[in-house]
Amino acid sequence: MNATELAAAVRSGERSAVEVVEEHLSRIDAREGELHAFNLVMADDARAAAAQIDAAVARGEDPGPLAGVPVALKDNMCTRGLPTTCSSKILDGWKPPYDATVVTRLRDAGAVFVGKTNLDEFAMGSSTENSAFGPTRNPHDPSRVPGGSSGGSAAAVAADFAALSLGSDTGGSIRQPAALCGVVGVKPTYGAVSRYGLIAFASSLDQIGPFATTVADAALALEVIWGHDPLDSTSIGSVPSAIESPLAVLDRGVEGLRVGIVDEITLAEGIAPEVRAAVEAAGLALESAGASVEHVSVPSAEYGLSAYYLIAPAEASSNLARYDGVRYGLRVDGETVEQMNAATRDCGFGAEVKRRIMLGTYALSTGYYDAYYGTAQRVRTLIIRDFERAYERFDVLLGATSPTVAFELGARTADPLAMYLSDVCTVPSNLSGDPAMSVPFGADAAGLPIGVQVLAPALQEATMFRVAAAIEAAKGSAS
Amino acid sequence: MTDTTDTADASRTDQWETVVGLEVHVELATVTKLFCACPNLFGAEPNTNICPVCLGLPGSLPVLNERVVEFALRVGEAFHFDVPERSIFHRKNYFYPDMPKDFQTTQYDEPICLAGWLDVDGVRVGITRAHLEEDTGKSVHLGGGGRIHDASHSLVDYNRAGVPLMEIVSEPDMRSSEQARRYVEELRATLLAIGVSDVKMEEGSLRVDANISVRHYGDEFGTRAEIKNVNSLRSLARAIDYEHDRQIEMLERGERVKQETRHWDEEAGCTRPGRSKEEPDDYRYFPEPDLVPIAPSAELRAHVRASMPELPAAQRTRLIDEWGINDHEAGVLLSTPGLAEYAETAVVALDGGGTPKDVVNWATNDVLSYVNETGLSPALLAPEMLAELVRLVGDGTISRNQARDVLAESLREEKWPKAIVSERGLAQVSDEGALGAAVDDVLAQNADAVEEWRSGDDKVKKKKRGFLMGECMKALKGQGNPQLLNRLLDERLARG
């Protein structure tokens, strides 16, 4: 049963939330040892929360649109009184004294949290291999990665450990693992979902979004978590009041919509033939559903990766400065404060985090700022303008999510650049702030899932979901 | 004193000019902090006014306090600043244990106030900019000498972290320690009048760093030293004078002044170089991505403009003109928050029963002492009570000396002077008949003294007259109207 069905069954009293959560916990019991999707399984809390939902239903109350739905949270979202680790040693022992806004909203909607999921340390990575607690494995093939950085959240939904999960997407960290794990993953418009309580990687790019097994489930989850939050200055005031509900338009079809297939994220070198074929097939499917489909070039998208790998590390170098051993988390003693800071950070951060802190520190340094950070910001402006131009002609854009299907564990760990290329199709939407989502569409010869990416202009989630729903509907006929 | 030193000093002063620019940090007196809802309070128990935001906990985000923008607009109006349509915050990155995020959120090259000025005793001092930033926490180093390098451990109080600060940076337009002191005085009075800060140097809500250089008249600016740890106006003037001498001595010895940060040592009366760093700081400023630009609305700008109070400079001119008081008195009135307003209300309440000058005399002496002793704001006192007191003196009901006691009680007990006068039976005897009878009695009982007065020289006359006056007052239990009594005594003595 998917999230929509579960919530309906629990709300109507047809199924008990406790029974639902037990089912999921038993699946976790059976496969978690192999997959390692979680940093923390919250079995007791989940049972208690489910019992409360059942009690509410028994009293004739409506626990909300996610009544009794088991949800997994990426372990970079603050949960009051529960460890929140970012899969890093540096946060060892830290328990946030507050809940992230998304956590509060999900709980208020009746969701039952089953656990905190594994990620690349501080969300830096594309395979969930950069976790201080060991990698997560792909439920479709445990010898392969689930993608990253939200690999744990993608795997948890793909393995049905949870009906929904949340991830964070800074350069593709929801969409790419969604593609590799064969689930739906959404990065909403920047500012649509509050970042309050999301431990920052790159503040101007980070955005929380849902994983789900269906497009409708993803819309259901998104509409619970989004909306203005006074605690986040970058939160958009008009969400959801002034924008269309994706859930309400899912079955409206794509008749008359103009769809552009973006060459730079479909045909570029490094994008596997079967992935390209899936994008083209999705285009054909939309065409036969009544949309007009054309190829389009967004030239600056090709520089997205370079700009991203300057801006994101620059912001990260500042965001991660606070892990200094003074107030919380790990402390490794030293003779002086400076030595304590250095020893703590040396021991607490993994190699990829250190690499990006150094990259970012360098990019912001006097004498280099303009050449690196400044140029990257100008490229970002170009990308925004190029996408705006494309959206004058198209309602939505289409492309690959990940250049390849899930790769083997260890295949790219020795070559950071090869790993960074995993994000080439997804970073442009983070830089532009526009929404984008990955929908499973077909598989390669070995049966590994492929995701197709749907991109839309800012706040046009409703149109994006309509197109995603049409692609989902055509899935059966693909491959 | 020998002439040589004087001459040397004179020639030195002739040749060298001091150039001073000041950076003034002002704590804004908002109810809550800059980016969170924690109380902005001085002197609370350590780490009690803190939350995830001002502690910089992972996942927390700043939200700009709108009051701060309003305060900045007030500052903008008061010092004739240009307030751009849009200004932004940057991050200033450096590691320090009392800085929760290990970066300071501050304005950098797009500040909220640009290019203002302040007139100080007829000289216009340019103010380059005023920008908003957050304060840090406070470290306490325990064990050793109380300094970080020999401490056994350190404690940090984050109550102050996130308190809104405004840094007001002047042009190097001042040419003496006195001028610098006066600039700060005027700046304080203005900030106080517009209600954005309580500007208490001793509590650190106003802190001054001084950039000082010297040059020969007409030359380019010399190399400056930045002096920190200046905790009072007196230290500011002393530090500038010290630096002036130090730099001139160096230059006259043929040495060069180093551009550096120095700390004022109040006890030793000198500046000392700060800890020198091997490498210059690189703060890696970049725009704060967690905040949106500050763009004050037209409504807010209009509201602030409409609600600006009279500024001290204008108020001073007006009071001097209307009340006939002098510059010094006006200065005293304006340097204590609320005192001028107190006096203004009292003057209105006089209702012709005295002069504004009388009110100012009482306000700048007895009332001011009371305010200083008790720490109460003049805003808490009743100016109508002072007005009544002035009237009682004016119409001869009580003497000035009696009035002092009455005022002290009036302030302390919040009682109307008239009530005190009647309770104490203080009303003066001004009835000529009663006074005359008393004088006659005293003269009759002290015939010896009268005789000595008659035959004595001026000195004796004065002494005996004083004695007789004292006896008269004694007979009247101190309640005789002194002017009247003096006249009656003189008349009777003259009559023989």
Side-chain angles (χ1 to χ4, degrees):
Chain A
M1 270 180 127
N2 63 40
T4 308
E5 292 160 353
L6 285 172
V10 170
R11 275 168 120 173
S12 68
E14 185 190 314
R15 295 196 64 183
S16 87
V18 170
E19 172 198 323
V20 169
V21 82
E22 288 300 347
E23 264 179 31
H24 287 80
L25 288 173
S26 63
R27 275 194 290 268
I28 293 172
D29 252 5
R31 275 196 94 186
E32 170 62 6
E34 175 194 19
L35 299 181
H36 186 219
F38 291 103
N39 287 339
L40 176 74
V41 176
M42 296 155 58
D44 292 342
D45 289 349
R47 289 184 177 110
Q52 282 188 14
I53 300 288
D54 288 336
V57 173
R59 286 194 303 271
E61 294 164 17
D62 180 4
L66 294 179
V69 175
V71 175
L73 297 167
K74 189 176 182 179
D75 201 15
N76 59 354
M77 294 171 201
C78 288
T79 42
R80 188 187 176 118
L82 288 171
T84 300
T85 69
C86 286
S87 288
S88 178
K89 280 196 282 181
I90 203 131
L91 276 166
D92 185 39
W94 184 62
K95 292 176 183 171
Y98 70 103
D99 278 325
T101 297
V102 289
V103 171
T104 308
R105 290 188 178 177
L106 284 171
R107 188 185 291 120
D108 290 350
V112 171
F113 300 121
V114 292
K116 308 280 304 271
T117 61
N118 197 13
L119 62 149
D120 285 300
E121 185 178 4
F122 282 98
M124 297 177 188
S126 311
S127 67
T128 317
E129 290 167 292
N130 300 331
S131 164
F133 311 127
T136 296
R137 290 166 184 271
N138 193 316
H140 293 270
D141 176 355
S143 72
R144 293 174 187 264
V145 302
S149 66
S150 313
S153 286
V157 168
D160 207 3
F161 292 168
L164 296 171
S165 65
L166 292 191
S168 62
D169 190 315
T170 307
S173 283
I174 291 173
R175 291 161 287 160
Q176 185 257 14
L180 270 50
C181 290
V183 297
V184 178
V186 183
K187 183 204 89 81
T189 304
Y190 182 79
V193 178
S194 169
R195 291 184 295 120
Y196 191 77
L198 169 68
I199 299 180
F201 160 17
S203 312
S204 75
L205 303 162
D206 294 343
Q207 188 61 189
I208 292 174
F211 287 95
T213 52
T214 69
V215 171
D217 278 4
L220 176 68
L222 177 60
E223 292 198 29
V224 166
I225 59 171
W226 77 2
H228 181 66
D229 179 7
L231 297 178
D232 175 358
S233 307
T234 61
S235 158
I236 298 170
S238 58
V239 176
S241 58
I243 77 170
E244 216 174 359
S245 154
L247 263 182
V249 300
L250 277 184
D251 53 4
R252 201 176 282 177
V254 293
E255 183 80 48
L257 285 183
R258 299 163 302 165
V259 178
I261 297 177
V262 181
D263 290 344
E264 286 76 7
I265 60 171
T266 305
L267 306 176
E269 194 191 328
I271 298 176
E274 60 272 25
V275 174
R276 281 184 208 180
V279 177
E280 300 289 356
L284 286 174
L286 292 172
E287 208 160 30
S288 54
S292 66
V293 181
E294 271 179 65
H295 273 260
V296 59
S297 173
V298 181
S300 57
E302 136 175 42
Y303 302 109
L305 200 67
S306 312
Y308 173 82
Y309 274 97
L310 288 166
I311 293 169
E315 292 182 10
S317 72
S318 173
N319 282 330
L320 271 62
R322 70 193 68 192
Y323 307 106
D324 57 9
V326 174
R327 289 159 300 273
Y328 44 79
L330 183 73
R331 175 186 292 180
V332 179
D333 279 324
E335 285 293 300
T336 65
V337 174
E338 290 80 5
Q339 284 170 20
M340 183 276 283
N341 289 159
T344 299
R345 292 167 68 80
D346 186 36
C347 173
F349 288 137
E352 184 58 30
V353 171
K354 286 178 191 165
R355 181 178 295 119
R356 297 205 196 185
I357 289 174
M358 285 190 280
L359 270 174
T361 302
Y362 190 71
L364 290 173
S365 300
T366 305
Y368 298 97
Y369 180 93
D370 201 54
Y372 294 119
Y373 190 75
T375 304
Q377 288 293 9
R378 285 189 287 278
V379 169
R380 187 173 189 175
T381 306
L382 268 181
I383 289 173
I384 292 170
R385 212 172 295 155
D386 272 6
F387 272 104
E388 277 172 0
R389 202 164 297 146
Y391 286 126
E392 286 167 13
R393 291 173 51 213
F394 298 99
D395 298 306
V396 296
L397 298 173
L398 224 54
T401 304
S402 163
T404 66
V405 295
F407 44 92
E408 303 257 326
L409 262 81
R412 297 183 188 171
T413 42
D415 184 354
L417 276 181
M419 189 71 92
Y420 294 174
L421 282 169
S422 312
D423 304 335
V424 69
C425 302
T426 45
V427 291
S429 302
N430 298 89
L431 291 167
S432 70
D434 297 334
M437 66 191 287
S438 182
V439 195
F441 195 75
D444 75 349
L448 290 168
I450 296 172
V452 167
Q453 197 182 184
V454 185
L455 299 81
L459 298 176
Q460 298 302 310
E461 270 85 350
T463 313
M464 178 175 84
F465 270 91
R466 274 168 71 190
V467 172
I471 293 173
E472 183 180 53
K475 189 168 60 175
S477 57
S479 81
Chain B
M1 180 149 306
T2 58
D3 289 341
T4 40
T5 1
D6 279 350
T7 319
D9 274 348
S11 73
R12 178 186 281 176
T13 317
D14 280 351
Q15 286 171 15
W16 294 98
E17 183 179 45
T18 327
V19 175
V20 182
L22 297 178
E23 289 171 20
V24 178
H25 286 85
V26 186
E27 268 181 23
L28 298 179
T30 48
V31 177
T32 55
K33 292 185 181 181
L34 183 53
F35 298 124
C36 63
C38 286
N40 173 14
L41 278 177
F42 178 80
E45 280 292 301
N47 295 316
T48 51
N49 295 328
I50 52 171
C51 74
V53 176
C54 56
L55 268 186
L57 291 189
S60 67
L61 293 170
V63 176
L64 180 62
N65 180 345
E66 286 176 15
R67 241 351 227 172
V68 170
V69 178
E70 190 188 324
F71 280 19
L73 288 178
R74 285 174 172 275
V75 170
E77 284 291 319
F79 301 105
H80 319 280
F81 279 112
D82 172 30
V83 178
E85 285 298 313
R86 174 185 181 279
S87 68
I88 60 172
F89 281 97
H90 271 69
R91 290 187 183 178
K92 179 181 184 180
N93 295 286
Y94 63 101
F95 284 92
Y96 207 78
D98 64 17
M99 202 165 51
K101 297 170 291 182
D102 286 297
F103 61 79
Q104 183 193 29
T105 305
T106 175
Q107 294 198 293
Y108 180 51
D109 55 3
E110 293 182 54
I112 191 157
C113 290
L114 282 165
W117 48 263
L118 173 63
D119 281 341
V120 181
D121 304 327
V123 177
R124 179 152 298 181
V125 176
I127 310 182
T128 320
R129 55 185 280 153
H131 75 245
L132 296 167
E133 62 186 30
E134 59 180 343
D135 209 342
T136 61
K138 228 166 108 180
S139 303
V140 184
H141 306 295
L142 301 178
R147 300 171 73 116
I148 193 162
H149 66 265
D150 56 0
S152 63
H153 60 289
S154 300
L155 301 172
V156 193
D157 174 9
Y158 292 104
N159 280 346
R160 210 181 61 185
V163 161
L165 291 180
M166 189 163 219
E167 183 177 335
I168 302 170
V169 184
S170 86
E171 293 286 320
D173 282 354
M174 287 158 275
R175 295 293 175 267
S176 69
S177 55
E178 173 59 14
Q179 213 179 24
R181 196 183 61 75
R182 287 283 303 122
Y183 166 82
V184 177
E185 269 182 3
E186 287 295 318
L187 195 76
R188 283 176 67 177
T190 307
L191 292 167
L192 204 54
I194 60 176
V196 299
S197 173
D198 54 16
V199 295
K200 289 181 183 156
M201 280 185 97
E202 61 284 4
E203 286 184 9
S205 67
L206 184 140
R207 315 197 272 270
V208 182
D209 297 337
N211 286 302
I212 304 160
S213 63
V214 296
R215 63 172 172 184
H216 284 295
Y217 282 93
D219 279 4
E220 297 283 298
F221 287 133
T223 306
R224 66 192 159 84
E226 184 182 4
I227 313 302
K228 290 185 180 286
N229 196 36
V230 182
N231 295 322
S232 69
L233 286 178
R234 189 168 161 271
S235 334
L236 173 67
R238 288 179 72 201
I240 292 172
D241 289 338
Y242 176 86
E243 264 309 293
H244 164 91
D245 291 348
R246 183 186 72 88
Q247 293 186 17
I248 289 172
E249 274 164 28
M250 285 184 79
L251 292 168
E252 289 188 338
R253 279 199 305 268
E255 297 169 29
R256 296 172 67 167
V257 174
K258 208 164 102 191
Q259 181 161 347
E260 61 181 348
T261 300
R262 299 175 69 87
H263 291 265
W264 172 247
D265 181 334
E266 179 68 33
E267 257 169 58
C270 67
T271 65
R272 300 180 197 284
R275 191 171 59 106
S276 71
K277 293 171 190 151
E278 283 165 27
E279 284 175 66
D281 288 316
D282 184 349
Y283 293 122
R284 295 175 284 119
Y285 284 99
F286 73 101
E288 167 58 270
D290 285 330
L291 289 166
V292 292
I294 305 176
S297 67
E299 292 75 31
L300 184 61
R301 286 171 187 260
H303 164 73
V304 165
R305 246 192 308 276
S307 64
M308 283 297 283
E310 183 181 34
L311 296 180
Q315 195 179 11
R316 165 179 294 143
T317 315
R318 182 171 58 79
L319 295 184
I320 292 172
D321 287 356
E322 288 181 3
W323 292 359
I325 59 176
N326 63 35
D327 215 46
H328 172 74
E329 289 167 325
V332 175
L333 269 186
L334 290 169
S335 61
T336 301
L339 193 60
E341 290 66 29
Y342 170 85
E344 293 220 51
T345 313
V347 166
V348 172
L350 277 179
D351 213 10
T355 67
K357 225 172 142 55
D358 295 331
V359 169
V360 171
N361 273 331
W362 291 109
T364 55
N365 291 294
D366 299 66
V367 176
L368 182 58
S369 315
Y370 178 73
V371 162
N372 288 340
E373 269 165 38
T374 57
L376 292 174
S377 158
L380 296 173
L381 310 177
E384 294 78 8
M385 290 183 180
L386 177 63
E388 187 174 277
L389 184 92
V390 171
R391 282 201 304 270
L392 289 171
V393 176
D395 67 13
T397 308
I398 52 174
S399 68
R400 272 197 71 85
N401 270 335
Q402 290 173 319
R404 292 187 73 114
D405 288 341
V406 173
L407 178 58
E409 188 177 338
S410 166
L411 290 169
R412 204 171 52 237
E413 310 292 335
E414 296 181 48
K415 267 160 79 174
W416 287 92
K418 258 188 188 159
I420 299 168
V421 166
S422 77
E423 264 176 37
R424 293 201 197 170
L426 286 181
Q428 288 185 134
V429 179
S430 298
D431 175 58
E432 281 214 37
L435 292 176
V439 175
D440 289 340
D441 280 355
V442 167
L443 295 184
Q445 280 161 26
N446 296 281
D448 296 356
V450 174
E451 189 46 45
E452 282 174 59
W453 174 85
R454 204 176 303 282
S455 55
D457 56 10
D458 278 2
K459 206 170 149 191
V460 172
K461 268 191 162 48
K462 201 174 167 195
K463 195 173 156 196
K464 289 300 153 188
R465 190 191 169 289
F467 166 75
L468 291 167
M469 183 67 190
E471 289 299 299
C472 290
M473 267 300 187
K474 223 186 270 171
L476 288 159
K477 299 198 176 73
Q479 290 175 24
N481 178 323
Q483 282 86 22
L484 213 48
L485 204 53
N486 269 314
R487 180 166 62 77
L488 293 172
L489 178 63
D490 287 341
E491 280 172 10
R492 283 183 171 51
L493 283 171
R495 238 189 277 152

